Amino acid sequence: MFRFCIATAAERFGIRLHAFVALSNHYHLVLTDPHAELPRFMHWVNEYLAKCMNATLGRWENFWAPGSYSAVRLIDRAGVVDKLVYVYANAVAAGLVPTPQAWPGARSLPRDLVAPARLVRRPNVFFRADGLVPDEVELRLDIPPALASDDPDAVAEELTRRLLERVVRIRRRVRRRGRGFIGVGRVLRTRPGDRPDSHEPRRNLGPAIAAGDRAARTGAIRALKEFLRRYREALATFGQGARDAVFPAGTYAMRIRFGVPCEPT
């Protein structure tokens, strides 16, 4: 279901998928958005994944918690590698299973970047057989542009090694705390209505940028602040009635909703 939704949306909106993992109450994606379609892609995925899950569970309420998704721009190679490994190891870091391979839900691993595309069939819930979505769709994972100059097999090997290193660190931390992993059996026995006893800390930082190099990260943060400053200025001018106010490159909602002019990229 999850694989079908992300693969269908990626095909519709020209998104290049690189890595994914779906846990019980959230998911992570690493992707490239060549055509500035990320908002429409995420809207499609979340809408139809919610409808499929509600149909499966016999629910009618809202599926997702209120709020938007968190999009983090990966600036350099180190940032891309770090987030790929973060996604691969996510089920282990959450204390669910001892290895990424053991996770029974939807997930990808480094070797999937060099594997052929796989066909995913339309789930037999919610979607009509004579509807607009296809019977099956290709789920293809590509090596991210930041790593594209390297040999593909070498990239997969590097990511596999980095993943193993992170998993070893996580296991050591778990042992030091005297804890263990929930395990596949308990994961599969979890009921859809179950809730965790603990709560995620609130008011944490919500990063918009990730980079391994400090100078690259600093430059990207400055560029983001400058974009926000110029966007606010253009929005204020637009609000005063100047419909020819030019917005900075990267503007999305105002461009889609009102067709405002934007600076060239």
Side-chain angles (χ1 to χ4, degrees):
M1 189 178 301
F2 177 80
R3 293 184 181 94
F4 181 84
C5 286
I6 64 172
T8 302
E11 186 175 277
R12 285 184 174 225
F13 302 112
I15 297 292
R16 295 179 59 193
L17 297 172
H18 309 306
F20 63 86
V21 64
L23 274 69
S24 59
N25 61 358
H26 70 285
Y27 65 88
H28 295 282
L29 298 172
V30 180
L31 55 83
T32 298
D33 178 23
H35 310 294
E37 292 282 16
L38 180 62
R40 292 210 295 164
F41 167 82
M42 290 300 300
H43 182 275
W44 200 99
V45 170
N46 285 343
E47 177 181 357
Y48 286 95
L49 186 57
K51 289 178 176 178
C52 286
M53 289 302 301
N54 278 341
T56 300
L57 300 173
R59 298 175 69 252
W60 300 99
E61 297 85 1
N62 289 341
F63 184 78
W64 303 108
S68 181
Y69 59 88
S70 172
V72 180
R73 183 185 173 200
L74 308 182
I75 301 301
D76 58 8
R77 187 185 192 282
V80 172
V81 169
D82 180 71
K83 295 307 178 187
L84 286 170
V85 175
Y86 173 86
V87 170
Y88 297 142
N90 201 244
V92 181
L96 300 174
V97 289
T99 67
Q101 295 83 352
W103 178 242
R107 52 101 176 116
S108 67
L109 292 170
R111 293 302 303 180
D112 293 323
L113 290 172
V114 293
R118 58 177 294 185
L119 286 177
V120 183
R121 292 199 59 79
R122 183 184 63 230
N124 57 3
V125 296
F126 179 73
F127 294 113
R128 298 195 312 270
D130 59 347
L132 298 178
V133 297
D135 293 337
E136 55 187 20
V137 64
E138 279 194 348
L139 175 57
R140 181 184 303 278
L141 299 182
D142 297 324
I143 290 179
L147 311 180
S149 62
D150 300 341
D151 175 71
D153 287 318
V155 169
E157 290 174 6
E158 176 189 359
L159 292 172
T160 300
R161 174 178 55 80
R162 295 283 296 272
L163 173 58
L164 177 59
E165 292 170 354
R166 180 166 296 195
V167 168
V168 168
R169 290 197 300 270
I170 294 170
R171 287 176 174 174
R172 288 172 179 167
R173 185 168 67 243
V174 169
R175 284 198 298 270
R176 285 198 303 269
R177 295 176 178 175
R179 303 176 64 179
F181 294 94
I182 291 176
V184 175
R186 286 182 60 190
V187 166
L188 294 177
R189 289 193 298 271
T190 302
R191 295 169 299 183
D194 287 349
R195 293 176 177 271
D197 297 328
S198 60
H199 299 280
E200 183 180 7
R202 300 300 181 186
R203 303 181 187 277
N204 284 347
L205 292 176
I209 288 168
D213 180 73
R214 183 175 181 179
R217 183 169 60 252
T218 301
I221 291 172
R222 287 174 179 166
L224 176 59
K225 289 181 176 179
E226 177 64 13
F227 167 83
L228 293 173
R229 182 188 68 80
R230 293 167 62 193
Y231 178 87
R232 293 182 184 119
E233 289 180 353
L235 185 61
T237 302
F238 182 87
Q240 294 169 0
R243 293 301 184 255
D244 58 349
V246 179
F247 284 72
T251 296
Y252 183 82
M254 291 296 292
R255 174 172 57 85
I256 298 299
R257 294 176 183 173
F258 301 105
V260 299
C262 297
E263 298 171 351
T265 57

